[in-house]
Amino acid sequence: MVPIITRLSGVTFKDAQENINKFGGPGLCAYDLVREPDNPHDPNAIKVLLFYDIFLGYVPKNIADVLAPLMDEGRNFEAEFYRLNKSPMHKNVGLTVRIVEV
């Protein structure tokens, strides 16, 4: 599968803003993609975590709809830092990642 470059969604949920500001930068090897099949909003939801614990956001729905079945079949993916999305006009930050199969 070719790498997918995408902005994370859900970056204003939980403590994602604080975590992205603290950990969303170059130098980290990879972020974990963790299936969340019990998510009441989307059974294909995939969380993006650091160290399987620190919440950064979600894989966008259109991409999760493709990746979730592959992950459920046993294929493994991870997200790599690509870009921190910051604007002087907005207080919220975002994170763009590169999703690769490992």
Side-chain angles (χ1 to χ4, degrees), residues 24-38:
L28 295 171
C29 294
Y31 305 120
D32 306 302
L33 299 183
V34 179
R35 285 280 288 116
E36 197 177 55
D38 295 330

Side-chain angles (χ1 to χ4, degrees), residues 35-46 59-62 64-65:
R35 285 280 288 116
E36 197 177 55
D38 295 330
N39 184 308
H41 303 287
D42 182 6
N44 287 324
I46 302 171
V59 171
K61 181 174 179 20
N62 63 318
D65 287 348

Side-chain angles (χ1 to χ4, degrees), residues 16-25 28 50 54 56 84 93:
Q17 286 294 295
E18 179 183 339
N19 294 338
I20 291 171
N21 277 308
K22 191 171 182 180
F23 301 110
L28 295 171
L50 178 61
I54 299 169
L56 299 170
L84 184 64
V93 296

Side-chain angles (χ1 to χ4, degrees), residues 63-75:
I63 296 170
D65 287 348
V66 173
L67 288 183
L70 299 175
M71 292 175 74
D72 292 345
E73 290 174 1
R75 291 173 68 178

Side-chain angles (χ1 to χ4, degrees), residues 3-8 19-33 48-50 56 77-86 93-100:
I4 299 167
I5 296 173
T6 185
R7 289 181 176 199
L8 297 186
N19 294 338
I20 291 171
N21 277 308
K22 191 171 182 180
F23 301 110
L28 295 171
C29 294
Y31 305 120
D32 306 302
L33 299 183
V48 180
L49 306 174
L50 178 61
L56 299 170
F77 298 88
E78 66 184 18
E80 302 168 343
F81 173 82
Y82 189 79
R83 178 178 42 240
L84 184 64
N85 307 320
K86 259 187 166 176
V93 296
L95 189 62
T96 298
V97 298
R98 180 176 178 257
I99 299 172
V100 295

